Amino acid sequence: MKTPFVTLEQVEELVKEYPTPFHLYDEKGIRENARKLKEAFSWNKGFREYFAVKATPNPFLLKILQEEGCGTDCSSMTELMMSEALGFQNKDIMFSSNVTPEEEYVKAKELGAFINLDDFTHIEFLERTCGIPETIFCRYNPGGFFKLGTDIMDNPGDAKYGFTKEQLIEGFKILKSKGVKNFGIHSFLASNTVTNEYYPMLAKVLFELAVEVKEKTGADIKYINLSGGVGIPYKPDQEGNDIMEIGIGVKKAFEEILVPNGMGDVSIFTELGRFMLAPYGCLVTKVIHQKHIYKEYIGVDACAVNLMRPAIYGAYHHISVLGKEDAACDFKYDVTGSLCENNDKFAIDRMLPKINIGDYLVIHDTGAHGFAMGYNYNGKLKSAEVLLKEDGSAQLIRRKETPEDYFATFDFCDILKDVKY
């Protein structure tokens, strides 16, 4: 059973000022989760979380994470600019990009960010573009399939990211000859894992790799970045990760592999996005239509523009009908938006309480890769983002888009200036 962090009474007050749909975030939950992650890795004196900005690029939320000691993981120019504007600087920023334009490397170098190279050919590209810094990370791709138990399988060999092991070893030799003094290794093998075994297994792979690379290159490996991949239980019957157990598992691998090889001072980094924020955000939407044809449809005022994961992945997001949390789920519905696409559905054949027009729905776990993936198909406008603060008050942290925003990039804006809407 998933319980919303907001009540019907709270939403009825919120909508007086912020009409649906809107994304709502829970400040208390965000802060508590960040502190728990930090505690789980407190055994490593250099540990730091670099929040994946792409998951939830909102400056108010980044500021909360900054206050909790997190850095930012950026993948584009605008994410670097946002981090800079918020006061993240130097080693507060990890720049992990691929197919990277010159100007983005230049910006990252100007900021003094950690640069994480995605490809062997980027060594020469970076040197020609802006020069090679004294500290550099390289992303490792082990190839083949990554399998963990019966549930987790991914295919690094089909991913566009990273160096092969041979390229990594040769790359470290080249970078060392060009003046690099401090090295980091980064890898990402699987997405949204709901198991306490993923990070420890990834850590073992990277720790053993670090020992081998150090032996073969003499590189001083200061950092190992476990990246993201620790997921959340989107379905109510799933058991979530225990970050404390995960921290213990990584510590065990650290003490078994790195410490005996004289690498006990290596700092561990993470780049979590979904784990950090997804459960602490939801999409609040209002039922505006019902349709009775071959199936029963519930039409809401949100659509895939506001949350596209169900449309593109068939991803499950739990839905609560506010005020009916304890009611029997004995009605089967498709919950849909208004786009001219049949995949614009938040749920298909979902058992829910009886829904009436005017009911408010909470679509859970949208705090990461929710608003961030929005778009403007059908001329739809992105919704507002609202923060439910620790003291119970609400703060608008991104206003909803307006038609003026949508038209602003057209050269013929003057033609539209007198249009009424």
Side-chain angles (χ1 to χ4, degrees):
M1 179 74 177
K2 280 184 177 282
T3 303
F5 59 79
V6 65
T7 65
L8 174 60
E9 291 73 24
Q10 286 174 303
V11 165
E12 287 175 335
E13 285 301 309
L14 286 170
V15 299
K16 292 175 183 177
E17 191 166 357
Y18 314 115
T20 55
F22 56 82
H23 284 271
L24 184 67
Y25 302 93
D26 175 19
E27 180 182 6
K28 183 174 184 288
I30 292 168
R31 289 190 184 276
E32 289 177 351
N33 194 45
R35 291 168 190 171
K36 196 167 183 181
L37 171 67
K38 191 174 181 179
E39 181 186 353
F41 285 88
S42 60
W43 54 266
N44 182 262
K45 64 181 181 181
F47 172 75
R48 195 163 194 198
E49 155 67 6
Y50 287 83
F51 175 72
V53 177
K54 61 181 172 287
T56 320
N58 186 293
F60 290 87
L61 301 179
L62 294 181
K63 201 69 182 173
I64 290 171
L65 293 172
Q66 184 183 48
E67 291 168 2
E68 297 298 334
C70 300
T72 56
D73 165 43
C74 300
S75 58
S76 69
M77 177 66 81
T78 48
E79 290 179 0
L80 287 169
M81 292 170 67
M82 186 183 297
S83 296
E84 180 184 23
L86 290 170
F88 292 94
Q89 55 188 328
N90 300 318
K91 306 316 179 191
D92 294 337
I93 303 170
M94 179 73 64
F95 182 58
S96 298
S97 176
N98 68 95
V99 195
T100 309
E102 290 185 7
E103 60 270 19
E104 295 186 1
Y105 274 140
V106 170
K107 183 66 174 177
K109 183 109 181 307
E110 286 176 354
L111 293 177
F114 284 127
I115 292 176
N116 183 22
L117 294 179
D118 178 68
D119 185 67
F120 182 81
T121 64
H122 286 208
I123 296 172
E124 185 276 331
F125 183 79
L126 179 66
E127 182 177 37
R128 172 168 48 83
T129 298
C130 60
I132 293 176
E134 288 190 350
T135 299
I136 199 96
F137 284 67
C138 292
R139 181 169 181 167
Y140 171 58
N141 183 333
F145 281 89
F146 173 77
K147 187 171 183 180
L148 182 60
T150 58
D151 300 322
I152 306 298
M153 180 181 288
D154 221 318
N155 184 6
D158 194 42
K160 65 176 181 173
Y161 309 106
F163 292 58
T164 66
K165 182 189 286 190
E166 294 73 19
Q167 288 176 336
L168 191 74
I169 291 169
E170 181 63 20
F172 273 36
K173 290 177 181 177
I174 293 169
L175 288 163
K176 190 179 175 188
S177 73
K178 294 181 181 296
V180 172
K181 293 183 170 59
N182 307 304
F183 288 84
I185 297 175
H186 167 285
S187 192
F188 179 97
L189 298 187
S191 180
N192 194 37
T193 63
V194 189
T195 167
N196 295 334
E197 301 304 316
Y198 169 63
Y199 250 13
M201 187 170 180
L202 172 61
K204 183 175 185 293
V205 169
L206 294 185
F207 295 165
E208 289 175 346
L209 174 67
V211 171
E212 180 180 352
V213 170
K214 182 180 179 182
E215 289 174 352
K216 292 182 176 178
T217 68
D220 189 1
I221 299 173
K222 296 284 193 184
Y223 314 100
I224 292 181
N225 188 339
L226 300 177
S227 67
V230 177
I232 65 160
Y234 283 99
K235 296 183 178 180
D237 59 351
Q238 286 181 300
E239 187 174 345
N241 288 309
D242 183 336
I243 197 63
M244 301 306 291
E245 284 298 313
I246 289 171
I248 290 168
V250 174
K251 181 182 181 183
K252 183 173 184 289
F254 187 94
E255 291 176 342
E256 289 177 353
I257 300 167
L258 291 184
V259 173
N261 284 281
M263 300 176 71
D265 61 346
V266 168
S267 296
I268 303 300
F269 292 166
T270 58
E271 292 175 349
L272 298 171
R274 193 190 315 267
F275 178 82
M276 296 299 289
L277 286 194
Y280 313 106
C282 64
L283 177 60
V284 180
T285 183
K286 185 176 182 178
V287 177
I288 57 174
H289 288 290
Q290 290 185 338
K291 185 167 186 170
H292 318 286
I293 48 173
Y294 308 106
K295 301 179 78 172
E296 292 295 305
Y297 292 95
I298 296 297
V300 297
D301 58 5
C303 63
V305 161
N306 310 110
L307 177 66
M308 71 185 298
R309 293 186 73 253
I312 61 173
Y313 303 138
Y316 180 96
H317 281 265
H318 197 64
I319 297 175
S320 293
V321 185
L322 290 182
K324 301 179 182 179
E325 290 88 348
D326 298 324
C329 295
D330 46 10
F331 289 81
K332 185 187 291 186
Y333 298 112
D334 282 15
V335 180
T336 77
S338 59
L339 292 187
C340 299
E341 294 288 341
N342 198 44
N343 66 351
D344 182 22
K345 296 178 179 180
F346 295 114
I348 298 173
D349 294 334
R350 184 76 59 87
M351 299 305 296
L352 292 165
K354 180 173 174 55
I355 295 177
N356 300 310
I357 291 175
D359 281 346
Y360 292 104
L361 307 186
V362 160
I363 302 178
H364 290 254
D365 301 320
T366 69
H369 310 290
F371 180 93
M373 296 175 72
Y375 57 113
N376 289 116
Y377 183 56
N378 277 186
K380 295 291 185 178
L381 304 175
K382 295 179 186 176
S383 58
E385 293 181 290
V386 180
L387 179 65
L388 187 62
K389 302 185 77 171
E390 286 186 292
D391 64 7
S393 64
Q395 179 183 1
L396 183 67
I397 58 174
R398 191 192 304 265
R399 65 167 174 80
K400 66 179 182 179
E401 285 187 335
T402 66
E404 289 93 342
D405 297 322
Y406 182 82
F407 295 134
T409 53
F410 292 116
D411 288 338
F412 56 92
C413 252
D414 310 349
I415 301 174
L416 302 167
K417 68 179 184 299
D418 295 324
V419 175
K420 304 299 180 188
Y421 35 80

